[in-house]
Amino acid sequence: MDQVFLGIDIGTSGTKTLAIRADGTILAKASAEYPCSAPRPLWSEQNPDDWYRAVVQTVREVVARSGIAPSAVRGLGLSGQMHGSVFLDEAGNVIRPAILWNDQRTAAECTDIENAAGGRDALIRLVANPAMTGFTAPKILWLRKNEPEAFARVRKILLPKDEIRRRLTGEFATEVSDASGTLLLDVAARAWSKPLLDVLELDESLLPRVYESEDVTGRLTPRAAEELGLSTDCLVVGGAGDCAAGAVGNGIVRAGLLSTSIGTSGVMFVHSDRVKIDPKGRVHTFCHAVRGMWHMMGVSLCSGGSLQWFRGALCTELKEAAEKAGCEVYDLLTAEAAAVSAGAEGLFFLPYLSGERTPHADPNARGAFVGLHLNHTRGHMVRALMEGVTYSLRDSLEIFRELGVPVDEIRASGGGSKSPFWRQMQADVFDRCVTTVNTDEGPAYGAALLAAVGGGAYGGIAQACAQAVSVVSRVEPDVRAASAYNRGYPLWRDLYPALKENFRKMAR
């Protein structure tokens, strides 16, 4: 009987589950959506019960669609949105809605953390990263300051995927890649930072045990096995945060490989064989899902989300036209953008609709079209928007180059990679060849490969990726477009510093 492994990705908008054979062949997949609430400006929260219901639903659907026996499922890997906070009481009850990665309420707490650590530079030396509003640690301090009665009841704090692990196995566990995004992990030592916990007056007992991503963290409890329709012999491995799991799914598991992903957010992710820290704190240094390895990562908070906003806010009338044409609204918008020359005739877009992380770490940053004139059309605006998003990714690429991180190949993934037009634009803006691989199933696929490693199907994740992941397409930069973008990028990059103070005043 073939061994089967599941990958489960608990995302922000929904959960995706897929089943693979040990060789990486996908047998079936399923997804389920759930809501996200914003009870106040800058807040973003979810109910962990929704995540678990989606996990049960998608696992059952995958098993049914693939026709596999429950006993064939040897193990499962977990991935999910990073940085979120699930607060549990003594009995394991969720105390309040989970605070998510895109929540921006904690600017004051970030300042508090840096001050407690002895300054921003000292904090980076402790945990390899500066304090950012999306991270977990400032959320914990926010709860202590603003909801003291709730904080007094807290006995454990888990990340989203690790709350699912608890419900599946009964274990309080996390793994190094996701734990890196809490701001509480000594990234170099791959363990909780006791010095930082001490100055923040947080007890380490609040945090789960830390594993490597391929390590077995438990097995399904009888109750979870019954709910999922699986066997108690099914093991659960550490898994990885969504960025690291997605990188594993793209084969970014050796030096020289970089992944560019355009989803709701945008991510530039590069493998590193050793700890390499940006002393300016512009990009993250986290533990990789590859045992004993690290990665550097730049994040743009509203990449594909910018185009989604534009479609929803300004292009509702295109829905009927798209239905008649048998295509998506995005296809019509992309066609309009493709009719405009590179550079959008001097129109620029700053994709800071949710504030920005890399390289500015500024929750007050705002989106902006700059350079509009009477000749500009919707096509120009769409092109400028897509170019602005891609420029924001180039910001990270430039930092990697500055730090001497080798980049020999760029692999595109996420929604942006599905568009030939946007793939070509990435090659042109980066002025580098961009490739795609044989699977684009995202973090769920990487989590499934980690489960296969934990289940003994491979000797390590690099071996698994060598067998399961291969390059299937290459896009070379267009010389004229690349030249236009090499001229345009410095102009675009100068816009944020020129507007930064105005953004701060607008936010106030």
Side-chain angles (χ1 to χ4, degrees):
M1 178 175 62
D2 286 344
Q3 290 185 331
V4 175
F5 301 93
L6 303 184
I8 304 172
D9 176 36
I10 297 93
T12 311
S13 59
T15 285
K16 178 178 180 179
T17 297
L18 56 78
I20 65 169
R21 291 195 182 96
D23 63 1
T25 303
I26 297 173
L27 299 173
K29 54 188 176 182
S31 60
E33 296 182 350
Y34 34 70
C36 180
S37 65
R40 296 186 187 180
L42 302 181
W43 289 27
S44 182
E45 300 181 346
Q46 278 181 332
N47 182 354
D49 290 344
D50 291 338
W51 304 335
Y52 189 67
R53 281 192 289 267
V55 167
V56 172
Q57 176 184 332
T58 55
V59 168
R60 283 190 164 275
E61 288 180 7
V62 162
V63 171
R65 291 172 185 175
S66 60
I68 55 179
S71 58
V73 180
R74 176 78 178 91
L76 64 85
L78 295 167
S79 178
Q81 50 177 298
M82 297 179 68
H83 315 305
S85 298
V86 180
F87 300 103
L88 303 173
D89 66 14
E90 185 71 37
N93 299 312
V94 175
I95 293 172
R96 70 172 321 281
I99 306 176
L100 303 189
W101 62 274
N102 54 352
D103 189 285
Q104 297 288 319
R105 76 184 74 177
T106 61
E109 286 71 30
C110 289
T111 300
D112 293 343
I113 291 172
E114 292 188 349
N115 290 339
R120 189 172 190 267
D121 293 345
L123 179 63
I124 292 173
R125 288 193 295 271
L126 276 176
V127 291
N129 297 280
M132 294 189 176
T133 52
F135 285 1
T136 312
K139 296 177 174 66
I140 300 171
L141 269 59
W142 181 92
L143 187 74
R144 184 169 67 186
K145 182 192 300 183
N146 294 278
E147 297 179 4
E149 291 183 1
F151 184 79
R153 296 168 53 205
V154 175
R155 293 296 178 269
K156 271 292 189 272
I157 303 165
L158 297 178
L159 296 161
K161 81 174 194 317
D162 301 323
E163 166 62 5
I164 297 304
R165 183 195 322 279
R166 179 187 71 88
R167 298 189 187 205
L168 295 179
T169 67
E171 301 291 336
F172 295 103
T174 188
E175 47 68 45
V176 291
S177 72
D178 217 357
S180 297
T182 65
L183 198 68
L184 297 173
L185 192 81
D186 181 336
V187 170
R190 306 172 88 87
W192 296 121
S193 173
K194 191 175 188 309
L196 184 57
L197 289 169
D198 286 346
V199 298
L200 297 180
E201 298 180 349
L202 294 174
D203 196 306
E204 188 174 339
S205 67
L206 293 171
L207 304 175
R209 180 179 174 184
V210 182
Y211 291 81
E212 290 289 332
S213 295
E214 65 197 45
D215 287 346
V216 176
T217 60
R219 295 178 183 271
L220 295 184
T221 65
R223 177 178 177 179
E226 181 180 359
E227 290 174 337
L228 268 60
L230 299 177
S231 163
T232 54
D233 291 331
C234 179
L235 55 84
V236 179
V237 303
D242 55 1
C243 293
V248 167
N250 283 332
I252 311 299
V253 294
R254 59 178 174 82
L257 293 181
L258 179 147
S259 168
T260 172
S261 173
I262 300 177
T264 301
S265 60
V267 176
M268 295 289 270
F269 182 112
V270 66
H271 177 99
S272 181
D273 288 342
R274 58 190 179 91
V275 181
K276 199 169 185 65
I277 298 171
D278 177 15
K280 298 179 182 178
R282 296 163 297 177
V283 294
H284 308 316
T285 297
F286 288 168
C287 299
H288 199 349
V290 183
R291 184 180 295 275
M293 300 296 174
W294 290 264
H295 72 264
M296 300 190 80
M297 181 171 67
V299 179
S300 179
L301 291 179
C302 201
S303 291
S306 291
L307 187 58
Q308 184 180 26
W309 160 80
F310 189 89
R311 179 201 65 174
L314 302 174
C315 304
T316 54
E317 82 285 357
L318 285 180
K319 183 177 181 180
E320 184 177 344
E323 290 174 351
K324 288 182 179 179
C327 65
E328 298 288 336
V329 172
Y330 291 121
D331 298 324
L332 300 180
L333 293 176
T334 299
E336 292 181 7
V340 175
S341 60
E345 296 187 44
L347 181 60
F348 293 93
F349 177 74
L350 297 180
Y352 306 148
L353 301 177
S354 300
E356 189 53 302
R357 187 177 295 184
T358 304
H360 309 304
D362 184 0
N364 295 325
R366 296 291 183 265
F369 281 102
V370 180
L372 278 166
H373 60 68
L374 290 173
N375 290 335
H376 283 142
T377 65
R378 181 170 60 198
H380 288 86
M381 298 182 75
V382 176
R383 175 132 201 166
L385 186 153
M386 298 173 77
E387 289 174 349
V389 166
T390 313
Y391 281 147
S392 73
L393 297 175
R394 178 167 168 173
D395 274 344
S396 296
L397 182 60
E398 295 297 325
I399 295 169
F400 297 149
R401 287 171 174 165
E402 175 189 327
L403 296 174
V405 180
V407 177
D408 302 322
E409 181 184 337
I410 297 176
R411 294 182 177 179
S413 63
S417 73
K418 294 181 172 65
S419 163
F421 176 70
W422 214 338
R423 285 202 307 273
Q424 182 66 58
M425 182 181 289
Q426 289 181 78
D428 297 340
V429 169
F430 303 151
D431 201 5
R432 300 284 293 271
C433 174
V434 170
T435 66
T436 60
V437 297
N438 57 323
T439 179
D440 188 20
E441 297 296 341
Y445 189 71
L449 289 177
L450 288 167
V453 175
Y458 295 98
I461 194 60
Q463 183 187 64
C465 290
Q467 177 165 332
V469 182
S470 59
V471 172
V472 295
S473 76
R474 299 178 183 273
V475 179
E476 297 290 343
D478 177 85
V479 175
R480 292 182 63 183
S483 177
Y485 291 135
N486 283 330
R487 294 192 304 271
Y489 173 67
L491 296 173
W492 178 89
R493 189 175 53 190
D494 287 343
L495 293 176
Y496 170 79
L499 293 169
K500 178 179 179 179
E501 183 60 21
N502 288 324
F503 287 151
R504 186 183 67 83
K505 291 177 181 177
M506 292 172 191
R508 290 178 60 188

